[in-house]
Amino acid sequence: MPYATDATPDDGPAPRESGTQALDRALSVLLAFRGTETERKVSDVSRELGLHKSTASRLFRALADAGFLQRNEENGNYRLGVAVFELGARYLAGLDLHTLARPLVHRLAEEEGESVNLSVLEGLDAISIHVVQGTRNLQLVSRLGRRIPLWCSAAGKALLIDQDDAALRATLATAPFTALTANTITDLDTFVSRMATVRQQGWALNDQESEEGLRVVAAPVRDRHGRVTAAISVSGPIFRVDGDRMAELAAAACRTADELSRQLGYGFGEAWGD
């Protein structure tokens, strides 16, 4: 987010900052790399964040020294450094969900020929933590770490499947319901009404709600406590995912999600002492 104290990022000396402010700004610089660009210019990020250019330069150098950024010596731009990968790898290694899901989602993609995602809930988004491309022609593949709003995502709906109407309204009270396509649900009442069908059938559909020409089905994954902890989704172009094929993919997603849930301990409450 912009910082008012650095309103003129390129003029005069950089203002002094506290340790907490410096940390906040360093984190903001790292988060500026969440987009699709693999490299960023210091000047672009400083303008984007409202930082004094010398402040931004100092933060970039410090992050590079710590391994979180890497400088391209040919053009002076920066990319994410190996320390970010190491932290991410440690996060995934400690996540049993990700370890157990890997062979299952790969098998699903191979058997059905369509792209498969494993997603988790973060705020008002479903975020992809594992992506496998299908084997058929014309694949519309999500990228790792991509966020899709809950109200226009099959995975998002699956992640919300256990919430009743009141809980849904509370969860999405601040959701902007921005339209990404002509099919996007743009109001809370309609979304709550549609979720009744999702709960009844046990799986969710994204029918060109986040991207034109794309249909996605998703099923919830539960942990040993019975809580929905992730969603497995299968996506494909609308000319291939229609009618019976959509039902087939939904059934396959549900079978895979159920198998992963069992591996996470779902259904074995007594054995876990729950």
Side-chain angles (χ1 to χ4, degrees):
M1 61 179 293
Y3 293 88
T5 54
D6 284 345
T8 54
D10 297 320
D11 298 325
R16 298 182 64 180
E17 56 189 9
S18 66
T20 301
Q21 188 178 45
L23 177 59
D24 288 344
R25 288 173 167 175
L27 291 174
S28 294
V29 168
L30 279 179
L31 292 176
F33 285 80
R34 289 195 302 183
T36 57
E37 297 175 83
T38 57
E39 291 188 354
R40 301 294 310 270
K41 294 181 179 179
V42 175
S43 58
D44 289 344
V45 174
S46 66
R47 270 195 307 272
E48 182 178 309
L49 299 179
L51 288 172
H52 194 286
K53 189 174 181 180
S54 62
T55 298
S57 296
R58 184 171 65 252
L59 291 170
F60 271 75
R61 287 194 300 271
L63 288 167
D65 289 343
F68 289 98
L69 294 180
Q70 182 178 2
R71 189 173 187 270
N72 183 336
E73 297 300 331
E74 293 184 0
N75 57 23
N77 296 342
Y78 284 80
R79 63 174 69 94
L80 290 175
V82 68
V84 175
F85 172 80
E86 290 173 343
L87 288 176
R90 286 183 177 274
Y91 169 77
L92 293 178
L95 191 63
D96 288 341
L97 167 68
H98 192 275
T99 303
L100 294 173
R102 181 185 296 272
L104 300 181
V105 295
H106 278 266
R107 185 187 68 192
L108 179 59
E110 182 177 349
E111 290 177 350
E112 299 299 335
E114 305 293 357
S115 297
V116 178
N117 277 26
L118 177 70
S119 303
V120 295
L121 178 68
E122 186 172 302
L124 294 176
D125 298 323
I127 181 170
S128 299
I129 64 170
H130 196 72
V131 179
V132 185
Q133 183 171 343
T135 56
R136 296 193 176 197
N137 292 332
L138 190 56
Q139 293 290 324
L140 304 173
V141 185
S142 175
R143 62 178 173 80
L144 189 66
R146 183 186 181 190
R147 297 168 178 266
I148 304 181
L150 297 175
W151 59 88
C152 58
S153 162
K157 296 171 190 174
L159 289 165
L160 298 174
I161 198 168
D162 281 352
Q163 295 195 14
D164 60 20
D165 290 358
L168 285 172
R169 291 183 182 280
T171 297
L172 299 173
T174 61
F177 283 92
T178 306
L180 300 185
T181 73
N183 283 15
T184 304
I185 298 172
T186 56
D187 68 273
L188 181 56
D189 289 339
T190 301
F191 183 84
V192 170
S193 176
R194 298 268 184 92
M195 283 297 295
T197 300
V198 175
R199 288 192 293 265
Q200 181 179 24
Q201 64 191 13
W203 57 274
L205 171 67
N206 166 0
D207 189 3
Q208 302 187 82
E209 296 164 47
S210 61
E211 188 172 338
E212 297 286 353
L214 179 70
R215 281 200 182 101
V216 189
V217 296
V221 175
R222 301 178 187 277
D223 63 15
R224 64 189 180 92
H225 301 289
R227 296 180 298 237
V228 176
T229 188
I232 290 176
S233 60
V234 186
S235 60
I238 58 173
F239 71 83
R240 205 160 59 216
V241 182
D242 62 351
D244 293 341
R245 180 60 176 159
M246 186 169 65
E248 291 173 2
L249 293 178
C254 287
R255 286 194 300 271
T256 304
D258 289 346
E259 183 174 351
L260 178 55
S261 297
R262 287 193 296 272
Q263 292 189 23
L264 290 170
Y266 178 59
F268 299 93
E270 291 184 3
W272 289 102
D274 297 335

